[in-house]
Amino acid sequence: MKVLVVGSGGREHAICWKLKQSPKVTELYCAPGNGGIAQVAQCVDIKATDVDAMVKWAKDNAMDLVVVAPDDPLALGMVDALEAAGIPAFGPRQNAAIIEASKAFSKELMKKYGVPTAKYETFTDLAAAQDYIRAQGAPIVVKADGLALGKGVVVAQTVEEALESVQAMMVDKKFGASGAKVVIEECMTGPEVTVLAFCDGATVVPMTSSQDHKRAYDGNRGPNTGGMGAISPSPYYTPQLAQQCMEEIFLPTVRAMAAEGRPFQGVLYFGLMLTPDGPRVVEYNARFGDPECQAVLSLLDSDLLDILLACREGRLDKADIRWRAEAACCLVLASGGYPGSYGKGYPIEGLDRVENAVVFHAGTAQKDGQIVTNGGRVLGVTAVAPTLEAAIDAAYAAATPIHFQDMTFRHDIGRV
Ligand code: AMP
Ligand code: GLY
């Protein structure tokens, strides 16, 4: 089969790496891809958000499957456009991708169907939002309604910080149109767990659990990022919790989407917080998480292509999905300054000396035969070992030869 993966990050590199292992994948393409993806797939120079160009290319080149991995093209309806052109596509349709694209939608869905989540209110009026914050007090969480690269959330420790955040989102338009509407919610506490799940519209099959590290600095301090590292499985996610989440969160969500006429086919991301009152949904995403995907797919023992096709064709209940009884750690090496501004184009040294790990490329490019930095999150060094401790140690050890100017990373992935 000829398969095209849409996207250009570490997640897409992991998806390509795993698909490449399928004997059924005869030709693998990635658009636009990056410097590392180019080593496993043929990169096609089309922006991930250019729906028309993507559909045209997929049609002209007779793709048998297009895997749409990032949130933006999903929210733009790329899956709908591909399917309308007769090209099989993996990922939710636009009317289901809204579960990530609008926090107001997802909060309303959870309220209507009784899925446990933080209490909240939605605002389009600045004064009303400010009054609510003053009335509720801190800590309190302020979220831009729309997509904001995982950065549109402020967990405010003081009322002043919360007021500044709504001002920045609603008036200063820090996240553009995404902040015209804000969701203000109760601050929950407890360990965070990510559960990615394959969905075919009716059946939901959770993958092995994982944990992201969203804050930029050690000790879970600093601004939120797209994710600085991930481990899988999460030590907090017991079989009892898995059972409870299936009954109270996963099945009700998938049934709710079907009942709303928005059947979800693709990967549904459950961002959970294990609060003292039980598991609660922090957020949904309509796709694999990045960097959770790198850790989780490293443990998948089955053919990813078969699973993706089963999701699309509504036969997930019969799919063969097995996980290695091991653990994985993905350590992100980032550009100094990220998630703020950072330099690009710095040569990356030492990639050829990495041992016992797979290096998934996120923000890299090939320039004059050299791999150079080209984004905030640059590489995801991913190791698998029999225990979580060993996987963490292996990822850090594997990263030691790698160097580029201003390189930075967290020192406590899997340990907080
Ligand atoms: P989100 O983009 O909604 O996942 O939020 C990013 C991060 O903000 C989450 O991973 C949590 O660490 C934190 N967060 C979001 N909502 C809440 C909440 N209601 N209570 C506490 N922390 C939250
Ligand atoms: N790692 C979090 C996300 O992909 O949204």
Side-chain angles (χ1 to χ4, degrees):
M1 290 181 81
K2 295 185 187 182
V3 181
L4 167 66
V5 175
V6 175
S8 62
R11 166 183 54 207
E12 288 76 15
H13 192 177
I15 293 170
C16 287
W17 168 84
K18 191 66 197 168
L19 284 174
K20 185 84 179 171
Q21 295 168 19
S22 170
K24 297 179 194 106
V25 175
T26 49
E27 292 176 35
L28 185 60
Y29 300 88
C30 187
N34 65 36
I37 292 173
Q39 293 160 10
V40 285
Q42 208 170 309
C43 292
V44 182
D45 189 17
I46 300 173
K47 267 173 57 186
T49 47
D50 193 340
V51 176
D52 292 344
M54 201 68 77
V55 172
K56 182 173 186 315
W57 189 91
K59 214 172 158 163
D60 290 350
N61 292 278
M63 287 299 115
D64 298 302
L65 181 70
V66 179
V67 181
V68 184
D71 49 359
D72 293 329
L74 290 168
L76 288 170
M78 188 177 278
V79 169
D80 307 62
L82 286 161
E83 292 277 355
I87 300 150
F90 175 84
R93 288 180 179 259
Q94 190 172 31
N95 74 349
I98 191 174
I99 198 167
E100 167 170 10
S102 167
K103 291 195 193 285
F105 170 87
S106 66
K107 295 296 288 189
E108 194 57 43
L109 185 84
M110 288 187 268
K111 192 187 262 181
K112 183 169 171 190
Y113 291 89
V115 177
T117 188
K119 280 204 315 258
Y120 75 102
E121 293 289 338
T122 304
F123 297 92
T124 47
D125 178 65
L126 178 68
Q130 290 167 332
D131 288 346
Y132 183 76
I133 289 168
R134 289 197 190 92
Q136 294 294 312
I140 192 158
V141 181
V142 181
K143 301 186 176 186
D145 176 52
L147 300 175
L149 292 171
K151 295 169 208 158
V153 174
V154 177
V155 182
Q157 297 303 330
T158 63
V159 168
E160 287 66 44
E161 193 187 345
L163 293 174
E164 279 165 24
S165 307
V166 283
Q167 171 85 22
M169 287 179 198
M170 300 180 87
V171 183
D172 307 338
K173 301 269 180 278
K174 188 166 175 199
F175 302 109
S178 288
K181 199 189 267 183
V182 298
V183 172
I184 301 182
E185 59 178 50
E186 162 201 10
C187 189
M188 304 184 287
T189 55
E192 285 185 59
V193 175
T194 300
V195 179
L196 306 171
F198 293 113
C199 300
D200 69 359
T203 299
V204 50
V205 179
M207 302 180 211
T208 182
S209 66
S210 55
Q211 185 193 335
D212 186 12
H213 297 69
K214 287 209 173 84
R215 299 298 194 99
Y217 313 135
D218 288 356
N220 291 330
R221 285 194 300 268
N224 267 317
T225 68
M228 295 297 289
I231 52 158
S232 175
S234 158
Y236 297 106
Y237 196 67
T238 61
Q240 292 93 307
L241 270 169
Q243 175 84 27
Q244 189 182 359
C245 289
M246 190 68 179
E247 286 163 14
E248 295 178 6
I249 296 175
F250 308 155
L251 281 170
T253 300
V254 169
R255 287 182 186 141
M257 290 298 280
E260 293 288 311
R262 302 170 183 273
F264 192 99
Q265 286 197 341
V267 171
L268 188 47
Y269 172 123
F270 296 91
L272 307 173
M273 196 168 272
L274 307 180
T275 77
D277 302 321
R280 302 270 182 274
V281 175
V282 179
E283 64 162 344
Y284 294 117
N285 290 325
R287 51 174 175 82
F288 279 107
D290 185 338
E292 291 97 323
C293 177
Q294 292 86 312
V296 168
L297 285 189
S298 297
L299 297 173
L300 179 62
D301 216 4
S302 312
D303 187 317
L304 179 62
L305 180 75
D306 285 342
I307 303 172
L308 302 186
L309 292 173
C311 288
R312 187 183 161 272
E313 291 160 14
R315 45 181 184 78
L316 187 58
D317 54 339
K318 300 192 188 63
D320 165 38
I321 306 178
R322 282 167 291 111
W323 301 96
R324 292 164 68 165
E326 292 186 286
C329 175
C330 171
L331 168 67
V332 171
L333 305 180
S335 300
Y338 173 76
S341 58
Y342 50 82
K344 283 187 191 178
Y346 303 131
I348 303 174
E349 316 286 348
L351 285 168
D352 53 342
R353 296 199 300 280
V354 172
E355 285 177 358
N356 303 320
V358 179
V359 181
F360 294 119
H361 290 222
T364 73
Q366 291 205 31
K367 203 171 113 193
D368 307 329
Q370 245 244 302
I371 302 277
V372 300
T373 67
N374 192 38
R377 294 188 291 176
V378 177
L379 301 166
V381 182
T382 308
V384 171
T387 65
L388 183 56
E389 276 301 308
I392 295 167
D393 288 345
Y396 278 93
T400 44
I402 303 176
H403 182 74
F404 52 86
Q405 188 177 323
D406 301 340
M407 182 175 98
T408 175
F409 57 89
R410 277 187 55 167
H411 301 80
D412 57 359
I413 299 303
R415 305 200 195 276
V416 287

